[in-house]
């Protein structure tokens, strides 16, 4: 089972945003030392709790600080970009770090309407996204009307970040799919993907995993509760079981904690075994965030030991 990591460059209360991206690069270096297979970064715009708005720039920094681990985007949101520009960025990254670059593509819109206006985002409907994705693939494989430079010497793996509709599209196109959330409990959707993708099927299951004191998960759970009730996804704060004060906030925190895989090594191992068995995952892409950076590093190391990363 391949073990990979997604880091969203979560900001922390009392720290400048720059500390978050520096922390991402440092975490990538440790992940490589621990034997993780991939290290991916995310795209979020004008979100107080996330400092990563430009995956290609951050991927370049991670690639320069590491030497073996695969580096990718989880993902680049295609409606926000011209396909040719994405192809050129990926081609340049591949030229700088040959054989190590992955391209994860998603379709999520900006966090708020002002952000979507500022991005001049294109259509995110099924037809628009499919057309943009086809155009991007044509630039990457050299069949497009113009040639993205530098010309790729080797194909860059393309992954589709998928919900229900996205998973069907990934199956129809024979693309590796990254899935998380409710679709993991939809056997029919997972079966359709494998049947349609055939030999090209590669299911990367994304999960929020922390090895350690369950209290560590409260930082992220509270951020989700704040986003649902205030409309703003905030920086991480130290865990506080009494922070959620309204009924809606408490319910959101409880749901977030229930969805996270958190606890001691035996608890985490049991839940991951169940997840892999249910989904027939080919790979795990773990993401987690907590206010305590040392506890986060300890969790990353424990998870690598638990799953035998690098073997």
């Amino acid at each position: 089972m391949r073990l990979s990591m997604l880091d969203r460059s979560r900001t922390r209360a009392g720290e400048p945003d720059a500390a978050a991206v520096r922390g991402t690069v440092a975490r990538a270096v440790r992940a490589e030392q621990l034997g993780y297979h991939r290290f991916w970064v995310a795209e979020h715009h004008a979100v107080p709790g996330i400092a990563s708005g430009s995956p290609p720039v951050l991927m370049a920094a991670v690639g320069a600080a590491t030497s073996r681990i695969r580096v990718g985007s989880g993902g680049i949101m295609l409606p926000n970009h011209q396909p040719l520009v994405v192809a050129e960025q990926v081609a340049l990254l591949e030229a700088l770090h040959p054989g190590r670059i992955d391209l994860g593509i998603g379709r999520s819109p900006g966090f708020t309407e002002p952000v979507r206006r500022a991005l001049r985002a294109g259509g995110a409907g099924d037809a628009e996204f499919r057309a943009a994705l086809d155009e991007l693939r044509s630039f990457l494989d050299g069949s497009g009307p113009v040639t993205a430079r530098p010309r790729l010497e080797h194909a860059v793996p393309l992954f589709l970040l998928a919900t229900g509709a996205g998973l069907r599209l990934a199956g129809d196109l024979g693309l590796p799919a990254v899935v998380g959330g409710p679709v993991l409990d939809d056997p029919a959707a997972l079966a359709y993907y494998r049947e349609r993708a055939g030999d090209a099927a590669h299911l990367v299951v994304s999960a929020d995993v922390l090895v350690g004191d369950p209290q560590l998960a409260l930082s992220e759970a509270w951020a989700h509760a704040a986003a649902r009730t205030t409309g703003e996804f905030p920086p991480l704060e130290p865990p506080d079981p009494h922070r959620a004060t309204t009924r809606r906030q408490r319910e959101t925190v409880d749901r977030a904690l229930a969805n996270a895989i958190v606890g001691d090594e035996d608890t985490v191992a049991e839940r991951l075994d169940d997840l892999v068995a249910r989904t027939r995952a080919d790979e795990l892409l773990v993401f987690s965030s907590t206010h305590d950076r040392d506890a986060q590093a300890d969790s990353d190391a424990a998870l690598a030991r638990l799953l035998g990363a690098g073997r």
Side-chain angles (χ1 to χ4, degrees):
M1 173 61 61
R2 285 178 171 173
L3 178 62
S4 301
M5 182 185 296
L6 169 66
D7 183 276
R8 294 173 297 155
S9 300
R10 287 289 274 119
T11 59
R12 286 162 173 79
E15 291 185 354
D17 286 0
V21 292
R22 290 193 294 266
T24 293
V25 176
R27 194 178 183 191
V29 171
R30 292 194 302 272
E32 180 174 80
Q33 294 168 347
L34 291 168
Y36 282 78
H37 180 59
R38 310 181 201 274
F39 187 91
W40 283 10
V41 299
E43 176 183 336
H44 296 271
H45 297 280
V47 178
I50 299 177
S52 174
S54 179
V57 175
L58 192 49
M59 288 166 64
V62 169
T66 57
S67 60
R68 300 182 308 277
I69 196 168
R70 298 195 64 86
V71 180
S73 57
I76 291 175
M77 299 302 150
L78 194 52
N80 298 337
H81 309 280
Q82 295 299 323
L84 177 59
V85 174
V86 175
E88 290 173 335
Q89 291 170 338
V90 171
L92 185 56
L93 286 165
E94 173 63 19
L96 292 171
H97 309 292
R100 297 176 56 207
I101 300 301
D102 299 324
L103 175 57
I105 290 293
R107 61 187 289 184
S108 296
F111 189 62
T112 63
E113 181 57 34
V115 171
R116 291 190 285 274
R117 289 197 302 268
L119 287 168
R120 311 293 197 272
D126 291 347
E128 294 93 339
F129 180 70
R130 174 68 183 266
L133 184 60
D134 288 343
E135 188 178 11
L136 171 61
R137 296 180 78 189
S138 77
F139 293 135
L140 292 173
D141 65 21
S143 66
V146 298
T147 301
R149 304 285 181 174
R151 185 190 292 272
L152 285 169
E153 296 182 20
H154 306 286
V156 171
L158 194 154
F159 298 75
L160 198 61
L161 277 62
T163 56
L167 189 55
R168 291 192 294 275
L169 179 59
D172 293 342
L173 297 177
L175 290 174
V178 183
V179 296
V183 74
L184 296 178
D185 297 315
D186 187 345
L190 298 176
Y192 177 91
Y193 167 71
R194 290 198 176 278
E195 180 180 352
R196 292 289 292 171
D199 292 341
H202 185 84
L203 192 67
V204 182
V205 169
S206 176
D208 184 359
V209 185
L210 267 171
V211 182
D213 186 341
Q215 293 284 312
L216 295 171
L218 280 171
S219 297
E220 191 68 78
W222 163 247
H224 282 282
R228 292 292 181 88
T229 55
T230 69
E232 185 169 289
F233 192 63
L236 293 168
E237 298 187 21
D240 181 356
H242 306 296
R243 185 180 302 277
T245 56
T246 70
R247 177 180 177 181
R248 184 181 176 191
Q249 287 175 337
R250 287 194 298 272
E251 289 174 347
T252 303
V253 167
D254 289 343
R255 281 195 301 271
L257 293 177
N259 290 331
I261 298 176
V262 59
D264 59 27
E265 292 191 16
D266 289 341
T267 299
V268 169
E270 182 178 354
R271 292 193 62 185
L272 286 178
D273 285 346
D274 174 69
L275 178 64
V276 170
R278 285 191 292 108
T279 61
R280 296 170 54 205
D282 299 295
E283 182 175 339
L284 284 174
L285 180 69
V286 297
F287 65 91
S288 61
S289 303
T290 187
H291 182 269
D292 188 330
R293 292 186 185 278
D294 290 337
Q296 182 75 75
D298 290 343
S299 173
D300 294 345
L303 189 57
R305 292 193 304 271
L306 191 64
L307 297 183
R311 293 179 186 173

